[in-house]
Amino acid sequence: MHENLGEQLTINDMARTAMFSKFHFSRVFQRVTGLSPGRFLSAVRLQEAKRLLASTSLTVTDISHRVGYSSVGTFSSRFTSSVGVSPTKYRQLKIAAHDTPFDGLEEPPVTGPVTTTIRGDIFSPLEDQPIFAGLFPDRILEGRPVRFTVLRRPGPYVLEDVPQGEWHVMAQAIAPGREDALDHAPGGDTAVCIGRHGPITVRPGTHTKVADLSLRPMRPLDPPVLLALRDLLPVQVPQLIH
């Protein structure tokens, strides 16, 4: 995938490379990564788009074609829903080094009676580094979290007023001075550490769920981090992010 982002890859192409039937390949891939091959490919493409927006002067149209989109409109829509801002806004935020005003990341409003709390402890090899923890519908850090918190360092966390549904708790920490690592495929170092717990099912009458997480360095088979946390959170918690 990383070597052929501009090509119109199909599941048949990937399965043939892996020497599996497409059905067996899809099952194995989903079991290992948590995402379907197509969803994972889309995430890798958007990760490369983030890198190109931050490090080149290519136009949004050129970048969309480079990462395999024939429609710039489709690319912009998917980028915005996954990253949290449009491609143009993302580039502006990177160029301005977080000086561009932004409304910040807000949790969706609670509708109806909600009393469930998810709590636990987060352990991380990056001691004394801030940790983002959020609640997502899938095993990938994209789109706006249902609930989130930012910790000053590893330790206990609490997510309150969790709505009914099936959720994944996902957490991330970044090594000092290595924020750019988010826009690159994992390189075998500890620049980005992640942790996941789930799925967690919240039903009517559920009061508390316990979910502990242990962060570890990202691996090549982990879905990319797409949500632009560092660019969306500073307005609310600048002392934790900078």
Side-chain angles (χ1 to χ4, degrees):
M1 291 184 185
H2 287 286
E3 295 174 359
N4 298 279
L5 289 179
E7 304 297 325
Q8 296 303 309
L9 297 177
T10 67
I11 291 181
N12 284 331
D13 295 330
M14 301 178 207
R16 192 178 305 114
T17 300
M19 294 185 289
F20 287 145
S21 73
K22 71 176 182 179
F23 302 107
H24 183 58
F25 171 74
S26 295
R27 285 194 298 270
V28 171
F29 194 96
Q30 176 112 20
R31 186 171 68 244
V32 172
T33 68
L35 299 179
S36 69
R39 184 83 181 279
F40 193 95
L41 175 61
S42 176
V44 171
R45 283 175 166 159
L46 293 177
Q47 180 187 46
E48 174 65 4
K50 287 171 63 182
R51 187 189 70 81
L52 292 172
L53 286 165
S55 62
T56 75
S57 58
L58 292 170
T59 67
V60 172
T61 299
D62 288 340
I63 290 174
S64 69
H65 293 158
R66 282 203 178 197
V67 298
Y69 285 88
S70 57
S71 165
V72 67
T74 299
F75 164 73
S76 295
S77 176
R78 291 184 180 175
F79 187 97
T80 302
S81 64
S82 293
V83 178
V85 290
S86 69
T88 300
K89 184 70 173 181
Y90 183 79
R91 171 171 275 168
Q92 291 173 349
L93 288 166
K94 288 298 183 181
I95 292 174
H98 312 300
D99 290 333
T100 302
F102 189 72
D103 293 336
L105 184 65
E106 297 180 355
E107 296 172 321
V110 178
T111 57
V114 177
T115 59
T116 301
T117 296
I118 295 178
R119 64 174 67 245
D121 288 292
I122 300 179
F123 308 91
S124 172
L126 298 175
E127 298 181 2
D128 297 323
Q129 290 304 304
I131 295 174
F132 167 88
L135 209 58
F136 295 83
D138 296 307
R139 287 184 57 188
I140 178 171
L141 267 159
E142 73 169 354
R144 291 176 180 267
V146 175
R147 296 288 176 265
F148 72 89
T149 186
V150 179
L151 308 180
R152 292 180 179 274
R153 60 184 61 86
Y157 76 95
V158 178
L159 299 172
E160 298 180 324
D161 293 331
V162 176
Q164 297 174 27
E166 191 169 271
W167 312 109
H168 295 261
V169 181
M170 308 223 302
Q172 169 204 296
I174 306 173
R178 292 300 312 278
E179 291 78 15
D180 64 321
L182 283 175
D183 295 335
H184 298 268
D189 58 21
T190 59
V192 180
C193 289
I194 60 169
R196 297 182 177 88
H197 187 112
I200 298 172
T201 301
V202 176
R203 296 187 175 93
T206 303
H207 296 292
T208 302
K209 289 277 190 176
V210 177
D212 296 333
L213 292 85
S214 293
L215 273 60
R216 56 164 176 77
M218 282 195 73
R219 300 182 295 226
L221 290 176
D222 288 318
V225 174
L226 297 182
L227 180 60
L229 296 172
R230 189 173 170 83
D231 299 300
L232 298 181
L233 289 174
V235 171
Q236 288 187 309
V237 282
Q239 72 278 15
L240 300 184
I241 300 301
H242 291 295

